Amino acid sequence: MSAKAEKEQAIYRVMDNMASVQQKSQAFVDLISKRESLSQNQIMLMFQLQLTGSLNITDIAERFMITPGAASFMCDKLEDQGYVERIRTKEDRRVVKIVLTEQGTQRIHSLFDTFEAAELDKISKTLQKINDLMSDIVK
């Protein structure tokens, strides 16, 4: 097999596996959110807030590749349900941080109620391997 043909096959395998990982990741989010009234973006935002502590609207817009207006609207919906709150910083009252409430944290935990700890550990380890491999490539 020629070097060109080998590279074409390698490219195909990368594309195929990327698509498969993306679809399965999406299916997992679908699985945990199927009985929810929240959108997948709202759930992912709650995850991000749990991990980071707080984000401002600009951060949210950039992470989700949406407009600041759409980010604010998404936060409005979560705030109406008691899952997030807006907090103005003391240093600059114009700066508003979005933080997860205790009710939001409880809601996140409830998304994973159907999974045993061992299952979650296996999922986490698999995702970590993928993340590590991608970190070696994308620096």
Side-chain angles (χ1 to χ4, degrees), residues 73-91:
F73 183 75
M74 186 165 49
C75 291
D76 289 344
K77 294 293 185 188
L78 290 171
E79 190 174 32
D80 290 346
Q81 294 181 42
Y83 299 138
V84 303
E85 64 181 326
R86 288 173 162 87
I87 299 189
R88 296 193 180 278
T89 63
K90 292 182 181 185
E91 299 80 30

Side-chain angles (χ1 to χ4, degrees), residues 42-57:
Q42 289 171 324
I43 290 170
M44 294 308 294
L45 173 56
M46 291 172 64
F47 289 178
Q48 288 292 313
L49 292 170
Q50 179 73 42
L51 294 168
T52 62
S54 69
L55 294 168
N56 63 37
I57 292 296

Side-chain angles (χ1 to χ4, degrees), residues 26-48:
Q26 185 67 40
F28 180 71
V29 174
D30 288 344
L31 181 66
I32 63 173
S33 66
K34 69 181 177 187
R35 64 182 194 277
E36 294 298 316
S37 59
L38 301 171
S39 73
Q40 290 181 6
N41 273 352
Q42 289 171 324
I43 290 170
M44 294 308 294
L45 173 56
M46 291 172 64
F47 289 178
Q48 288 292 313

Side-chain angles (χ1 to χ4, degrees), residues 41 58-68 70-71 74:
N41 273 352
T58 303
D59 295 333
I60 294 167
E62 288 173 1
R63 286 174 188 243
F64 287 86
M65 294 182 274
I66 57 178
T67 66
M74 186 165 49

